[in-house]
Amino acid sequence: MNVNNKSDFITSIILIFTGIIFYFIIIPQEIVLEDEAIIGPDLLPNICIILITFLSVLLFLKSINKEIQNENNDEENSTIYDNPMMLNVKSDFSIIEVKRVFLLSLSILISILLFIYVDVLISSIFLILSCCVVCGLKKIWIIISLSAGLILLAYFLLYQVLGTAVG
Amino acid sequence: MSYEVLNSVLTLNNVSWIAFGVLLGYVVGVIPGLGKGTAVAVSIPITFYLSPLTGIAYLIGIAKGSTAGSAVSAILLNTPGEPSSAPTALDGYPLSQKGQASKALKMGLFASVIGDFFATLLLIFLAAPLAEYALLFGPVEVTAILLFSLTFIAALSGDSLIKGLIAGLFGLLFSTVGMEIETATVRFTFGILELFDGLSLIPVAIGMLAVAEMMVQLGGLEALEHQQKILKGNIKSINQSISWEEWKLCLPAIVRGTAVGSTVGILPGLGASVASFLSYGLAKKAAKDPSRFGKGAIEGIAAAESADNAVVPSSLVPLFALGIPGSVIAAILIGAFIIQGVTPGPLMFVQQPELVNGIYLSMICASLLLLLIGFFGQKVFSLLSLVSLRLIIPSVIFFCSIGAYLQGGGIIGVWLILFFGIFGYLAKKLDFSFVTFLIGFVVGPQFELSLRQAIAITPTYEHLLKHPIAIIFILITIIAIWKIGSKKSKKV
């Protein structure tokens, strides 16, 4: 199966399930209709979810069709590309990229928790330092001067120029 | 334009902020991986502290500067700052390798300024008459036009019509979070008090544009650094001027590019990339010797850059005249307008004509400042393209968090940039148009209101016959989906 079709295939299944969960569980729970209005507040969310589910089904069918076409093409071309390495399509998501994205998201998440439970300064320092580490910065003096520079710049901009207090 | 408008625009404060916006935009444009969407989204919180005119002019300055600046990294690094500068790299990079980088950069700048200036004039002359017609539209027509814009944008931005439509529908769905105005019903808040007012555009835009883009860039750090290493050896270029012969070659390409960019910009959803590639293709077709293209033809740069920059002002035509954002920049600008208590659309011409004229004059001012800043700062900006993304990403994430905190209702704003950052990253990687999502999110409340009113006004199909404009737009929407959908599936 082609990687793009594979991602379309998986995405469409996730979206179909999301649509069903939204339609039957989340919308009835989260939009409580007080009275019988002709045009209820759930009109647009329901329209959106029904259309998303319908389009996801179309995407699913399309990805299956493409898959069948690709399999036929693969059979036709098997004599030319008999080396399995040549048929190995490179994934859109590289492992290193996914790892970095995960670590960056985790850094933001931890800095939010530090902001809530500890202190704004510690949260800011942690956010910059962890982002530097995720990006692969190794020289300590660059990391320290970048952190100090950014925090001082934010302090100058927020407190001195704009007069906003954060914390 | 009255004396008062001139007085309000040509103040030291206003001009300084426009110049700062252009400069910031240019710097952001030069650095690969940072686009005008990122720059404008991150800068919105600052406009809260500025007057409406200065704030909007500052943001438009960033968008203009960034579009022009993206040519620098395309020419020097073969890495376009934005996708719309990709055709610039086709001839800019070969010229740079021949030791004519300075000439290529100058032509890129001049073409950008000319394209931008004339498209601004087009906006000035076209938006007001269009707005007069728009004032005649009722909720049925507005619903039909919004439906048309959303489906048209969904159909054109990205490779798949289905994915584009799904993205737009998700944008509409997220816009329904919070308290519904008519019935005071709370929707999708999951008991979180901060969500009762709905999702603020600023953290959503920052997450979808800036944070998601930084996540995407994390995967390509090594490839970019390789290009930067190559450039380091060739950065010392001599100052070269453009000869009259070269100008004669480039002027028709610039005129054509400006016309293409202006037309494409007015149509919602097509975007700067379509304009620059189309203009480049036309220039190649019109050339006496098309084989020169791709090997360092200076008119290739002129064609691409003039079209790319003409899109920014002309994409504001639907925003100013109809209140409908046709591009990401226009969608984010709506957020800035709302912060300032201004509703963009036809009524703006009636209620705040001074502001509209002030924005026009500020845009012309930004074009001139773009020329000055780009021309005198060329060497410094060239060096900026060597700045490592490893330093940029932590800085952007840090300022994104501050911006989201300030304009997103506190720490909930930072939660939102995290959520929409991951959401936007997945959307970008899986080719779900984030442009359509954002525009759907922005027009969502207006669409819902006009849809409800339209249903109330036209309970049966017979009532709809009284609205021919709406019928025309519905028919165009159906035809557009049919035509574009079948064309795309054939292409696949």
mmCIF file of all heavy atoms in Angstrom, chain A residues 8 15 30 32 39-41 51 55 92-93 97 100 105 109 112 115 127 135 142 150 164, chain B residues 49 162-163 169 185-187 189-190 215 218 222 390 401 405-406 411 415 425 429 452:
data_model
loop_
_atom_site.group_PDB
_atom_site.id
_atom_site.type_symbol
_atom_site.label_atom_id
_atom_site.label_comp_id
_atom_site.label_asym_id
_atom_site.label_seq_id
_atom_site.Cartn_x
_atom_site.Cartn_y
_atom_site.Cartn_z
ATOM 1 N N ASP A 8 -4.086 8.248 4.439
ATOM 2 C CA ASP A 8 -5.484 8.614 4.155
ATOM 3 C C ASP A 8 -6.429 7.562 4.733
ATOM 4 O O ASP A 8 -7.464 7.885 5.306
ATOM 5 C CB ASP A 8 -5.727 8.696 2.644
ATOM 6 C CG ASP A 8 -5.222 10.001 2.053
ATOM 7 O OD1 ASP A 8 -4.683 10.814 2.829
ATOM 8 O OD2 ASP A 8 -5.366 10.198 0.836
ATOM 9 N N LEU A 15 -11.294 9.573 11.565
ATOM 10 C CA LEU A 15 -12.299 10.640 11.418
ATOM 11 C C LEU A 15 -13.728 10.080 11.468
ATOM 12 O O LEU A 15 -14.619 10.713 12.034
ATOM 13 C CB LEU A 15 -12.075 11.408 10.115
ATOM 14 C CG LEU A 15 -10.889 12.376 10.107
ATOM 15 C CD1 LEU A 15 -10.682 12.968 8.717
ATOM 16 C CD2 LEU A 15 -11.087 13.500 11.111
ATOM 17 N N GLU A 30 -22.767 17.650 25.379
ATOM 18 C CA GLU A 30 -22.204 18.995 25.524
ATOM 19 C C GLU A 30 -23.142 20.115 25.079
ATOM 20 O O GLU A 30 -22.902 21.275 25.389
ATOM 21 C CB GLU A 30 -20.877 19.091 24.749
ATOM 22 C CG GLU A 30 -19.718 18.422 25.440
ATOM 23 C CD GLU A 30 -19.375 19.066 26.776
ATOM 24 O OE1 GLU A 30 -19.316 20.293 26.842
ATOM 25 O OE2 GLU A 30 -19.191 18.315 27.750
ATOM 26 N N VAL A 32 -26.808 20.922 25.622
ATOM 27 C CA VAL A 32 -28.069 20.568 26.274
ATOM 28 C C VAL A 32 -29.150 21.532 25.796
ATOM 29 O O VAL A 32 -29.059 22.749 26.002
ATOM 30 C CB VAL A 32 -27.934 20.624 27.811
ATOM 31 C CG1 VAL A 32 -29.230 20.200 28.488
ATOM 32 C CG2 VAL A 32 -26.778 19.752 28.260
ATOM 33 N N ILE A 39 -34.679 26.320 15.301
ATOM 34 C CA ILE A 39 -33.280 26.223 14.882
ATOM 35 C C ILE A 39 -32.449 26.137 16.161
ATOM 36 O O ILE A 39 -32.125 27.141 16.794
ATOM 37 C CB ILE A 39 -32.870 27.455 14.039
ATOM 38 C CG1 ILE A 39 -33.879 27.686 12.907
ATOM 39 C CG2 ILE A 39 -31.477 27.281 13.471
ATOM 40 C CD1 ILE A 39 -33.814 29.064 12.304
ATOM 41 N N GLY A 40 -32.109 24.947 16.549
ATOM 42 C CA GLY A 40 -31.409 24.742 17.809
ATOM 43 C C GLY A 40 -29.931 25.107 17.725
ATOM 44 O O GLY A 40 -29.382 25.236 16.628
ATOM 45 N N PRO A 41 -29.264 25.247 18.886
ATOM 46 C CA PRO A 41 -27.839 25.573 18.893
ATOM 47 C C PRO A 41 -26.957 24.429 18.395
ATOM 48 O O PRO A 41 -25.768 24.610 18.181
ATOM 49 C CB PRO A 41 -27.563 25.880 20.368
ATOM 50 C CG PRO A 41 -28.662 25.235 21.126
ATOM 51 C CD PRO A 41 -29.848 25.199 20.233
ATOM 52 N N LEU A 51 -21.365 16.031 7.835
ATOM 53 C CA LEU A 51 -20.585 16.205 6.599
ATOM 54 C C LEU A 51 -19.163 15.657 6.747
ATOM 55 O O LEU A 51 -18.632 15.039 5.823
ATOM 56 C CB LEU A 51 -20.551 17.681 6.194
ATOM 57 C CG LEU A 51 -21.853 18.239 5.622
ATOM 58 C CD1 LEU A 51 -21.753 19.734 5.388
ATOM 59 C CD2 LEU A 51 -22.202 17.547 4.298
ATOM 60 N N LEU A 55 -17.750 12.824 4.368
ATOM 61 C CA LEU A 55 -16.534 13.049 3.569
ATOM 62 C C LEU A 55 -15.426 12.063 3.949
ATOM 63 O O LEU A 55 -14.638 11.643 3.096
ATOM 64 C CB LEU A 55 -16.044 14.495 3.745
ATOM 65 C CG LEU A 55 -16.920 15.567 3.087
ATOM 66 C CD1 LEU A 55 -16.552 16.946 3.590
ATOM 67 C CD2 LEU A 55 -16.802 15.522 1.569
ATOM 68 N N ASP A 92 6.201 9.974 5.418
ATOM 69 C CA ASP A 92 6.146 11.420 5.608
ATOM 70 C C ASP A 92 6.628 11.815 7.007
ATOM 71 O O ASP A 92 7.106 12.905 7.223
ATOM 72 C CB ASP A 92 4.722 11.908 5.419
ATOM 73 C CG ASP A 92 4.368 12.020 3.952
ATOM 74 O OD1 ASP A 92 5.285 12.093 3.114
ATOM 75 O OD2 ASP A 92 3.189 12.039 3.655
ATOM 76 N N PHE A 93 6.431 10.919 7.944
ATOM 77 C CA PHE A 93 6.822 11.192 9.327
ATOM 78 C C PHE A 93 8.126 10.451 9.621
ATOM 79 O O PHE A 93 8.111 9.240 9.758
ATOM 80 C CB PHE A 93 5.750 10.690 10.300
ATOM 81 C CG PHE A 93 4.429 11.404 10.198
ATOM 82 C CD1 PHE A 93 3.439 10.944 9.350
ATOM 83 C CD2 PHE A 93 4.173 12.537 10.960
ATOM 84 C CE1 PHE A 93 2.225 11.590 9.255
ATOM 85 C CE2 PHE A 93 2.961 13.184 10.874
ATOM 86 C CZ PHE A 93 1.991 12.718 10.021
ATOM 87 N N GLU A 97 11.890 13.242 13.514
ATOM 88 C CA GLU A 97 10.956 14.378 13.535
ATOM 89 C C GLU A 97 9.853 14.146 14.574
ATOM 90 O O GLU A 97 9.565 15.034 15.391
ATOM 91 C CB GLU A 97 10.347 14.555 12.142
ATOM 92 C CG GLU A 97 9.412 15.734 12.044
ATOM 93 C CD GLU A 97 8.697 15.793 10.700
ATOM 94 O OE1 GLU A 97 9.265 15.322 9.707
ATOM 95 O OE2 GLU A 97 7.576 16.314 10.671
ATOM 96 N N ARG A 100 11.211 14.571 18.019
ATOM 97 C CA ARG A 100 11.409 15.979 18.376
ATOM 98 C C ARG A 100 10.083 16.686 18.655
ATOM 99 O O ARG A 100 9.980 17.489 19.576
ATOM 100 C CB ARG A 100 12.159 16.708 17.247
ATOM 101 C CG ARG A 100 13.640 16.412 17.213
ATOM 102 C CD ARG A 100 14.263 17.019 15.983
ATOM 103 N NE ARG A 100 15.687 16.737 15.891
ATOM 104 C CZ ARG A 100 16.407 16.940 14.810
ATOM 105 N NH1 ARG A 100 15.844 17.428 13.717
ATOM 106 N NH2 ARG A 100 17.693 16.676 14.781
ATOM 107 N N SER A 105 6.376 19.164 22.406
ATOM 108 C CA SER A 105 5.035 19.231 23.002
ATOM 109 C C SER A 105 5.111 18.978 24.508
ATOM 110 O O SER A 105 4.463 19.673 25.294
ATOM 111 C CB SER A 105 4.108 18.188 22.368
ATOM 112 O OG SER A 105 4.155 18.288 20.981
ATOM 113 N N LEU A 109 4.042 21.368 27.613
ATOM 114 C CA LEU A 109 3.122 20.845 28.633
ATOM 115 C C LEU A 109 3.707 21.014 30.035
ATOM 116 O O LEU A 109 3.035 21.525 30.952
ATOM 117 C CB LEU A 109 2.846 19.358 28.345
ATOM 118 C CG LEU A 109 1.905 18.649 29.303
ATOM 119 C CD1 LEU A 109 0.470 19.099 29.059
ATOM 120 C CD2 LEU A 109 1.991 17.146 29.115
ATOM 121 N N ILE A 112 3.726 24.601 31.150
ATOM 122 C CA ILE A 112 2.387 25.061 31.580
ATOM 123 C C ILE A 112 2.154 24.637 33.038
ATOM 124 O O ILE A 112 1.718 25.436 33.875
ATOM 125 C CB ILE A 112 1.273 24.468 30.670
ATOM 126 C CG1 ILE A 112 1.356 25.042 29.259
ATOM 127 C CG2 ILE A 112 -0.118 24.778 31.251
ATOM 128 C CD1 ILE A 112 0.402 24.385 28.263
ATOM 129 N N PHE A 115 4.125 26.680 35.307
ATOM 130 C CA PHE A 115 3.509 28.011 35.410
ATOM 131 C C PHE A 115 2.376 27.984 36.433
ATOM 132 O O PHE A 115 2.255 28.879 37.275
ATOM 133 C CB PHE A 115 2.980 28.437 34.036
ATOM 134 C CG PHE A 115 2.367 29.808 34.015
ATOM 135 C CD1 PHE A 115 3.132 30.917 33.691
ATOM 136 C CD2 PHE A 115 1.034 29.998 34.335
ATOM 137 C CE1 PHE A 115 2.581 32.181 33.681
ATOM 138 C CE2 PHE A 115 0.469 31.261 34.322
ATOM 139 C CZ PHE A 115 1.246 32.358 33.988
ATOM 140 N N LEU A 127 11.005 26.320 29.632
ATOM 141 C CA LEU A 127 10.528 26.252 28.241
ATOM 142 C C LEU A 127 11.665 26.521 27.257
ATOM 143 O O LEU A 127 11.865 25.757 26.302
ATOM 144 C CB LEU A 127 9.388 27.263 28.025
ATOM 145 C CG LEU A 127 8.771 27.274 26.630
ATOM 146 C CD1 LEU A 127 8.064 25.963 26.319
ATOM 147 C CD2 LEU A 127 7.775 28.419 26.482
ATOM 148 N N CYS A 135 16.054 21.092 20.105
ATOM 149 C CA CYS A 135 16.589 21.516 18.799
ATOM 150 C C CYS A 135 18.035 21.078 18.598
ATOM 151 O O CYS A 135 18.611 21.311 17.537
ATOM 152 C CB CYS A 135 16.495 23.027 18.665
ATOM 153 S SG CYS A 135 14.820 23.583 18.490
ATOM 154 N N ILE A 142 25.741 29.329 24.542
ATOM 155 C CA ILE A 142 24.674 29.772 23.620
ATOM 156 C C ILE A 142 23.317 29.589 24.303
ATOM 157 O O ILE A 142 22.473 30.485 24.282
ATOM 158 C CB ILE A 142 24.716 28.974 22.297
ATOM 159 C CG1 ILE A 142 25.990 29.296 21.528
ATOM 160 C CG2 ILE A 142 23.491 29.307 21.425
ATOM 161 C CD1 ILE A 142 26.128 28.581 20.201
ATOM 162 N N LEU A 150 16.289 36.196 25.868
ATOM 163 C CA LEU A 150 14.842 36.140 25.599
ATOM 164 C C LEU A 150 14.025 36.603 26.808
ATOM 165 O O LEU A 150 13.059 37.352 26.665
ATOM 166 C CB LEU A 150 14.426 34.719 25.207
ATOM 167 C CG LEU A 150 14.822 34.243 23.809
ATOM 168 C CD1 LEU A 150 14.427 32.784 23.609
ATOM 169 C CD2 LEU A 150 14.161 35.096 22.733
ATOM 170 N N THR A 164 2.557 45.434 30.854
ATOM 171 C CA THR A 164 1.705 44.286 31.172
ATOM 172 C C THR A 164 2.382 43.426 32.233
ATOM 173 O O THR A 164 3.590 43.224 32.181
ATOM 174 C CB THR A 164 1.512 43.400 29.924
ATOM 175 O OG1 THR A 164 1.248 44.249 28.839
ATOM 176 C CG2 THR A 164 0.387 42.413 30.113
ATOM 177 N N TYR B 49 -1.969 47.208 22.133
ATOM 178 C CA TYR B 49 -1.471 48.425 22.787
ATOM 179 C C TYR B 49 -1.362 49.596 21.815
ATOM 180 O O TYR B 49 -0.906 50.665 22.179
ATOM 181 C CB TYR B 49 -0.094 48.147 23.419
ATOM 182 C CG TYR B 49 -0.144 46.995 24.406
ATOM 183 C CD1 TYR B 49 0.107 45.690 23.999
ATOM 184 C CD2 TYR B 49 -0.497 47.212 25.736
ATOM 185 C CE1 TYR B 49 0.022 44.631 24.878
ATOM 186 C CE2 TYR B 49 -0.585 46.156 26.625
ATOM 187 C CZ TYR B 49 -0.315 44.869 26.195
ATOM 188 O OH TYR B 49 -0.411 43.830 27.078
ATOM 189 N N ILE B 162 -11.705 16.674 -0.885
ATOM 190 C CA ILE B 162 -12.354 16.085 0.301
ATOM 191 C C ILE B 162 -11.646 16.559 1.574
ATOM 192 O O ILE B 162 -12.275 17.004 2.533
ATOM 193 C CB ILE B 162 -12.332 14.537 0.215
ATOM 194 C CG1 ILE B 162 -13.173 14.071 -0.980
ATOM 195 C CG2 ILE B 162 -12.834 13.903 1.500
ATOM 196 C CD1 ILE B 162 -13.100 12.583 -1.260
ATOM 197 N N LYS B 163 -10.313 16.493 1.548
ATOM 198 C CA LYS B 163 -9.558 16.900 2.738
ATOM 199 C C LYS B 163 -9.741 18.393 3.013
ATOM 200 O O LYS B 163 -9.834 18.815 4.173
ATOM 201 C CB LYS B 163 -8.074 16.585 2.541
ATOM 202 C CG LYS B 163 -7.748 15.122 2.628
ATOM 203 C CD LYS B 163 -6.249 14.963 2.487
ATOM 204 C CE LYS B 163 -5.826 13.527 2.546
ATOM 205 N NZ LYS B 163 -4.378 13.397 2.412
ATOM 206 N N LEU B 169 -14.712 22.289 7.523
ATOM 207 C CA LEU B 169 -15.795 21.912 8.444
ATOM 208 C C LEU B 169 -15.298 21.839 9.888
ATOM 209 O O LEU B 169 -16.004 22.215 10.818
ATOM 210 C CB LEU B 169 -16.398 20.564 8.021
ATOM 211 C CG LEU B 169 -17.268 20.626 6.763
ATOM 212 C CD1 LEU B 169 -17.479 19.244 6.182
ATOM 213 C CD2 LEU B 169 -18.615 21.260 7.076
ATOM 214 N N THR B 185 -26.984 28.894 25.054
ATOM 215 C CA THR B 185 -26.620 27.502 25.347
ATOM 216 C C THR B 185 -25.099 27.355 25.265
ATOM 217 O O THR B 185 -24.472 27.871 24.343
ATOM 218 C CB THR B 185 -27.276 26.552 24.317
ATOM 219 O OG1 THR B 185 -28.651 26.854 24.255
ATOM 220 C CG2 THR B 185 -27.074 25.106 24.687
ATOM 221 N N VAL B 186 -24.556 26.644 26.246
ATOM 222 C CA VAL B 186 -23.107 26.437 26.261
ATOM 223 C C VAL B 186 -22.781 25.191 25.438
ATOM 224 O O VAL B 186 -23.439 24.162 25.572
ATOM 225 C CB VAL B 186 -22.615 26.277 27.714
ATOM 226 C CG1 VAL B 186 -21.145 25.963 27.745
ATOM 227 C CG2 VAL B 186 -22.892 27.548 28.495
ATOM 228 N N ARG B 187 -21.755 25.332 24.551
ATOM 229 C CA ARG B 187 -21.417 24.206 23.667
ATOM 230 C C ARG B 187 -19.938 23.823 23.782
ATOM 231 O O ARG B 187 -19.064 24.695 23.754
ATOM 232 C CB ARG B 187 -21.713 24.594 22.200
ATOM 233 C CG ARG B 187 -23.165 24.947 21.962
ATOM 234 C CD ARG B 187 -23.445 25.264 20.521
ATOM 235 N NE ARG B 187 -22.816 26.505 20.067
ATOM 236 C CZ ARG B 187 -23.090 27.081 18.903
ATOM 237 N NH1 ARG B 187 -23.948 26.518 18.070
ATOM 238 N NH2 ARG B 187 -22.503 28.200 18.555
ATOM 239 N N THR B 189 -17.781 23.019 25.999
ATOM 240 C CA THR B 189 -16.849 23.646 26.947
ATOM 241 C C THR B 189 -16.257 22.607 27.907
ATOM 242 O O THR B 189 -15.268 22.898 28.576
ATOM 243 C CB THR B 189 -17.556 24.733 27.777
ATOM 244 O OG1 THR B 189 -18.680 24.135 28.415
ATOM 245 C CG2 THR B 189 -18.005 25.894 26.925
ATOM 246 N N PHE B 190 -16.859 21.444 28.001
ATOM 247 C CA PHE B 190 -16.408 20.354 28.877
ATOM 248 C C PHE B 190 -16.212 20.844 30.323
ATOM 249 O O PHE B 190 -15.274 20.426 31.007
ATOM 250 C CB PHE B 190 -15.122 19.709 28.327
ATOM 251 C CG PHE B 190 -15.296 19.129 26.958
ATOM 252 C CD1 PHE B 190 -14.984 19.872 25.820
ATOM 253 C CD2 PHE B 190 -15.798 17.848 26.792
ATOM 254 C CE1 PHE B 190 -15.174 19.340 24.552
ATOM 255 C CE2 PHE B 190 -15.980 17.311 25.521
ATOM 256 C CZ PHE B 190 -15.670 18.060 24.394
ATOM 257 N N MET B 215 7.128 22.868 14.474
ATOM 258 C CA MET B 215 7.171 21.400 14.603
ATOM 259 C C MET B 215 7.565 20.757 13.275
ATOM 260 O O MET B 215 8.353 19.817 13.241
ATOM 261 C CB MET B 215 5.804 20.874 15.062
ATOM 262 C CG MET B 215 5.510 21.179 16.516
ATOM 263 S SD MET B 215 3.860 20.650 16.976
ATOM 264 C CE MET B 215 3.903 20.879 18.750
ATOM 265 N N LEU B 218 11.257 21.171 12.618
ATOM 266 C CA LEU B 218 12.138 20.332 13.442
ATOM 267 C C LEU B 218 12.673 19.128 12.665
ATOM 268 O O LEU B 218 13.767 18.636 12.943
ATOM 269 C CB LEU B 218 11.369 19.822 14.667
ATOM 270 C CG LEU B 218 11.277 20.754 15.873
ATOM 271 C CD1 LEU B 218 10.345 20.173 16.912
ATOM 272 C CD2 LEU B 218 12.639 20.999 16.491
ATOM 273 N N GLU B 222 18.630 19.548 9.668
ATOM 274 C CA GLU B 222 19.931 19.159 9.107
ATOM 275 C C GLU B 222 20.051 19.573 7.643
ATOM 276 O O GLU B 222 21.094 20.077 7.221
ATOM 277 C CB GLU B 222 20.150 17.637 9.242
ATOM 278 C CG GLU B 222 20.465 17.161 10.648
ATOM 279 C CD GLU B 222 19.240 17.095 11.560
ATOM 280 O OE1 GLU B 222 18.110 17.178 11.043
ATOM 281 O OE2 GLU B 222 19.419 16.971 12.780
ATOM 282 N N ARG B 390 17.942 26.327 14.923
ATOM 283 C CA ARG B 390 18.057 25.817 16.297
ATOM 284 C C ARG B 390 17.942 26.956 17.311
ATOM 285 O O ARG B 390 17.589 26.741 18.461
ATOM 286 C CB ARG B 390 19.392 25.086 16.472
ATOM 287 C CG ARG B 390 19.464 23.812 15.648
ATOM 288 C CD ARG B 390 20.799 23.107 15.866
ATOM 289 N NE ARG B 390 21.065 22.175 14.780
ATOM 290 C CZ ARG B 390 20.650 20.912 14.748
ATOM 291 N NH1 ARG B 390 19.942 20.443 15.725
ATOM 292 N NH2 ARG B 390 20.956 20.128 13.732
ATOM 293 N N SER B 401 4.117 31.538 23.263
ATOM 294 C CA SER B 401 3.475 31.268 24.562
ATOM 295 C C SER B 401 3.063 32.579 25.222
ATOM 296 O O SER B 401 1.962 32.684 25.772
ATOM 297 C CB SER B 401 4.430 30.507 25.486
ATOM 298 O OG SER B 401 4.877 29.360 24.842
ATOM 299 N N TYR B 405 -0.742 33.723 25.930
ATOM 300 C CA TYR B 405 -1.137 34.029 27.306
ATOM 301 C C TYR B 405 -1.829 35.401 27.359
ATOM 302 O O TYR B 405 -2.878 35.558 27.989
ATOM 303 C CB TYR B 405 0.096 34.023 28.213
ATOM 304 C CG TYR B 405 -0.229 34.335 29.654
ATOM 305 C CD1 TYR B 405 -0.586 33.329 30.539
ATOM 306 C CD2 TYR B 405 -0.195 35.644 30.129
ATOM 307 C CE1 TYR B 405 -0.909 33.614 31.854
ATOM 308 C CE2 TYR B 405 -0.520 35.941 31.432
ATOM 309 C CZ TYR B 405 -0.868 34.925 32.297
ATOM 310 O OH TYR B 405 -1.194 35.224 33.601
ATOM 311 N N LEU B 406 -1.231 36.358 26.669
ATOM 312 C CA LEU B 406 -1.765 37.730 26.730
ATOM 313 C C LEU B 406 -3.118 37.856 26.039
ATOM 314 O O LEU B 406 -4.012 38.532 26.531
ATOM 315 C CB LEU B 406 -0.782 38.717 26.080
ATOM 316 C CG LEU B 406 0.526 38.963 26.822
ATOM 317 C CD1 LEU B 406 1.423 39.853 25.999
ATOM 318 C CD2 LEU B 406 0.255 39.604 28.178
ATOM 319 N N ILE B 411 -3.637 31.319 30.940
ATOM 320 C CA ILE B 411 -2.918 30.067 30.672
ATOM 321 C C ILE B 411 -3.699 29.154 29.718
ATOM 322 O O ILE B 411 -3.102 28.331 29.011
ATOM 323 C CB ILE B 411 -2.550 29.347 32.002
ATOM 324 C CG1 ILE B 411 -1.433 28.312 31.776
ATOM 325 C CG2 ILE B 411 -3.754 28.708 32.645
ATOM 326 C CD1 ILE B 411 -0.096 28.887 31.443
ATOM 327 N N TRP B 415 -2.455 26.435 26.670
ATOM 328 C CA TRP B 415 -3.001 25.089 26.418
ATOM 329 C C TRP B 415 -3.490 24.997 24.976
ATOM 330 O O TRP B 415 -3.277 23.993 24.298
ATOM 331 C CB TRP B 415 -4.182 24.795 27.355
ATOM 332 C CG TRP B 415 -3.831 24.401 28.756
ATOM 333 C CD1 TRP B 415 -4.037 25.146 29.877
ATOM 334 C CD2 TRP B 415 -3.223 23.182 29.207
ATOM 335 N NE1 TRP B 415 -3.593 24.470 30.992
ATOM 336 C CE2 TRP B 415 -3.094 23.256 30.616
ATOM 337 C CE3 TRP B 415 -2.772 22.031 28.549
ATOM 338 C CZ2 TRP B 415 -2.534 22.235 31.378
ATOM 339 C CZ3 TRP B 415 -2.217 21.015 29.303
ATOM 340 C CH2 TRP B 415 -2.096 21.115 30.707
ATOM 341 N N TYR B 425 0.122 20.594 13.044
ATOM 342 C CA TYR B 425 1.237 19.778 12.567
ATOM 343 C C TYR B 425 0.699 18.561 11.810
ATOM 344 O O TYR B 425 1.139 18.266 10.694
ATOM 345 C CB TYR B 425 2.099 19.361 13.755
ATOM 346 C CG TYR B 425 3.106 18.275 13.445
ATOM 347 C CD1 TYR B 425 4.262 18.573 12.728
ATOM 348 C CD2 TYR B 425 2.905 16.961 13.857
ATOM 349 C CE1 TYR B 425 5.180 17.574 12.429
ATOM 350 C CE2 TYR B 425 3.821 15.968 13.572
ATOM 351 C CZ TYR B 425 4.952 16.269 12.858
ATOM 352 O OH TYR B 425 5.864 15.284 12.551
ATOM 353 N N LYS B 429 1.083 17.730 7.810
ATOM 354 C CA LYS B 429 1.729 16.507 7.353
ATOM 355 C C LYS B 429 0.778 15.628 6.535
ATOM 356 O O LYS B 429 1.204 14.936 5.623
ATOM 357 C CB LYS B 429 2.262 15.701 8.552
ATOM 358 C CG LYS B 429 3.360 16.383 9.331
ATOM 359 C CD LYS B 429 4.605 16.669 8.539
ATOM 360 C CE LYS B 429 5.498 15.484 8.370
ATOM 361 N NZ LYS B 429 6.787 15.852 7.727
ATOM 362 N N ARG B 452 -28.822 30.841 10.339
ATOM 363 C CA ARG B 452 -30.055 30.829 11.145
ATOM 364 C C ARG B 452 -31.061 31.834 10.596
ATOM 365 O O ARG B 452 -32.244 31.529 10.445
ATOM 366 C CB ARG B 452 -29.738 31.217 12.589
ATOM 367 C CG ARG B 452 -29.077 30.122 13.368
ATOM 368 C CD ARG B 452 -28.422 30.683 14.615
ATOM 369 N NE ARG B 452 -28.230 29.603 15.563
ATOM 370 C CZ ARG B 452 -29.121 29.239 16.463
ATOM 371 N NH1 ARG B 452 -30.246 29.880 16.579
ATOM 372 N NH2 ARG B 452 -28.882 28.236 17.268
#
